[in-house]
Amino acid sequence: MKRLMSLVIVILAVCGLLGFSANQLQQNDAPDGGKKVLNLYNWGDYIDPALIQKFERQTGVHVNLETFDSNEAMFTKIQQGGTSYDLAVPSDYMIEKLRSAHLLLPLNQSRVHGLSNIGHAFLNQPFDRNNRYSIPYFWGTLGIVYNDKMVKPGAVQHWNDLWAKKYRNQVMLVDSARDVMGFALASNHASMNTTDPATLRAAQRKLERLSPNVLAIVGDEIKMYMAQNSAALAVDWSGDASEMISNNAHLHYVVPSEGSNLWFDNLVIPKTAKHFDAIYQFLNFMLKPENAAQNATYVGYATPNMAAKKRLPKRVRNDRQFYPDTQTMKHLQVYKNLSPNMVGLYNDLYLEFKMHH
Ligand code: N2P
């Protein structure tokens, strides 16, 4: 009986061990029922679908792509933890916020190959020193798109120009609290990172006065509307502008000289990540110059990958609108990670404007 008992114990122990190592395997390689997968959480229209297919063919990893349209929406989803994303693409200030909320895993630097392709200016940034958590993906600015069928070239140079009476129902805005509050602040020559409630309220009141000119506040559809000549003006990000321009030669992009936002979107590993082999395969795939160049050509945003940039046509890589020089970059402002109270105020004021509109 005693022998039988010990046999049972040994069998149970072996089963336990097997179960445990299967679990371990799942954590490291996550076969997910034999299928290798990568759960990618990205902005809409922010990766060439052909590249995803190429990655899947090369690695046998199936990519599940889910998209978001604002940093704030992405943060909430990651915080809720309902979906285990393996990689996400937040901007600068949001990387800091995710990190301080303990929602990111540090990178295993020894598994990352090709970081030397990234330009120095994009590494070791204040929002992530030594790139402990993030790998640069794209970067860009916020600015004004105008259609020369309706706006005289040179007539729109400053944020304040958007308020001109003649543009009634002619302005489209990209739906992003920080960016809309941001350009209203910049139009008042205030910091886009202000934490002064009175300054913020003044910017909000000014936005209310823009309402008669605002035709719509929209997401990625903004590119389609502008390409179809549906509005004279739009406030949007540089790469969206470049995509629109490639579809409609009447469109142009201006970054107001009194100030605008400069942003950096980086790949990070959310805490809930599971598929580590796939994660590093994907990071290394995207760091390859030929892949980063193909992606930049498709999405229209500026690549921080210098080896990839060299492969782009001269007219693209020398285009100062989409690759501003360091001098211009100095006049631009990177968003700071503000306190939850401040973020709340920015959002409330923005929602008030949206509601009245
Ligand atoms: C792409 C959105 C670009 C992200 N649709 C701007 N940070």
Side-chain angles (χ1 to χ4, degrees):
M1 187 63 190
K2 228 177 172 177
R3 274 182 66 180
L4 193 63
M5 274 299 279
S6 14
L7 191 66
V8 167
I9 288 173
V10 167
I11 289 172
L12 282 177
V14 168
C15 285
L17 264 178
L18 278 177
F20 176 73
S21 42
N23 252 332
Q24 283 290 94
L25 252 184
Q26 197 115 27
Q27 265 184 22
N28 294 331
D29 303 303
D32 270 21
K35 224 166 128 211
K36 294 194 282 179
V37 301
L38 178 80
N39 296 321
L40 174 62
Y41 196 29
N42 200 357
W43 295 81
D45 295 344
Y46 215 31
I47 187 165
D48 180 354
L51 263 185
I52 295 188
Q53 284 171 8
K54 181 177 169 194
F55 174 74
E56 291 182 327
R57 269 200 313 274
Q58 264 183 22
T59 59
V61 172
H62 174 73
V63 177
N64 293 319
L65 175 65
E66 204 181 298
T67 61
F68 56 83
D69 54 17
S70 79
N71 276 301
E72 287 66 27
M74 176 215 50
F75 180 88
T76 309
K77 200 82 188 284
I78 288 185
Q79 195 177 37
Q80 285 166 350
T83 314
S84 338
Y85 300 112
D86 294 309
L87 286 168
V89 195
S91 309
D92 35 72
Y93 71 99
M94 193 48 73
I95 295 173
E96 220 174 302
K97 187 175 161 106
L98 284 161
R99 201 195 52 203
S100 33
H102 306 287
L103 291 171
L104 298 183
L105 292 176
L107 288 162
N108 180 346
Q109 299 284 358
S110 70
R111 296 188 79 176
V112 178
H113 308 294
L115 205 56
S116 58
N117 292 330
I118 304 289
H120 287 298
F122 305 101
L123 295 171
N124 190 24
Q125 294 232 58
F127 56 82
D128 182 23
R129 285 296 178 204
N130 299 313
N131 292 82
R132 284 193 60 212
Y133 295 91
S134 72
I135 307 270
Y137 186 67
F138 281 118
W139 65 282
T141 55
L142 179 75
I144 301 173
V145 178
Y146 71 85
N147 187 320
D148 66 26
K149 285 183 168 188
M150 304 158 230
V151 177
K152 260 205 248 78
V156 171
Q157 309 261 12
H158 302 290
W159 294 116
N160 277 337
D161 296 327
L162 297 175
W163 274 259
K165 278 212 168 61
K166 58 177 175 241
Y167 301 130
R168 196 180 173 94
N169 269 325
Q170 282 299 331
V171 181
M172 294 217 149
L173 303 180
V174 70
D175 188 3
S176 162
R178 201 67 200 261
D179 291 308
V180 173
M181 288 304 292
F183 84 74
L185 286 164
S187 79
N188 280 342
H189 297 272
S191 159
M192 295 172 103
N193 287 304
T194 192
T195 54
D196 176 44
T199 307
L200 273 168
R201 286 202 187 92
Q204 201 270 350
R205 283 196 300 274
K206 187 160 174 187
L207 270 184
E208 301 273 0
R209 294 201 294 276
L210 183 65
S211 263
N213 285 5
V214 177
L215 177 64
I217 304 171
V218 284
D220 282 328
E221 322 86 89
I222 198 169
K223 291 180 280 188
M224 181 192 77
Y225 288 128
M226 291 308 288
Q228 292 171 347
N229 306 309
S230 304
L233 296 151
V235 174
D236 200 356
W237 303 299
S238 48
D240 278 19
S242 99
E243 196 188 319
M244 291 174 204
I245 292 168
S246 66
N247 291 322
N248 183 343
H250 290 287
L251 300 175
H252 310 270
Y253 183 65
V254 182
V255 179
S257 55
E258 62 274 23
S260 190
N261 171 235
L262 171 68
W263 52 262
F264 305 93
D265 289 349
N266 288 23
L267 286 149
V268 298
I269 310 176
K271 196 95 196 210
T272 48
K274 282 203 186 109
H275 309 96
F276 293 95
D277 286 348
I279 287 171
Y280 289 99
Q281 279 176 311
F282 188 81
L283 291 175
N284 295 337
F285 177 88
M286 291 312 299
L287 280 167
K288 285 215 170 95
E290 66 269 29
N291 296 334
Q294 181 180 332
N295 208 21
T297 305
Y298 180 88
V299 301
Y301 279 92
T303 179
N305 188 315
M306 293 299 128
K309 191 177 162 193
K310 276 202 203 109
R311 293 170 175 254
L312 299 177
K314 244 203 186 113
R315 90 192 130 72
V316 175
R317 62 174 196 264
N318 291 340
D319 191 337
R320 287 277 159 265
Q321 291 192 297
F322 301 112
Y323 284 91
D325 50 31
T326 29
Q327 201 48 37
T328 316
M329 276 164 80
K330 276 195 197 122
H331 297 296
L332 300 174
Q333 304 167 47
V334 179
Y335 294 144
K336 290 196 182 111
N337 175 29
L338 304 171
S339 73
N341 276 346
M342 261 306 134
V343 174
L345 184 55
Y346 272 76
N347 285 343
D348 289 350
L349 293 173
Y350 175 61
L351 286 181
E352 227 173 282
F353 158 67
K354 257 179 86 169
M355 229 157 56
H356 294 163
H357 164 251

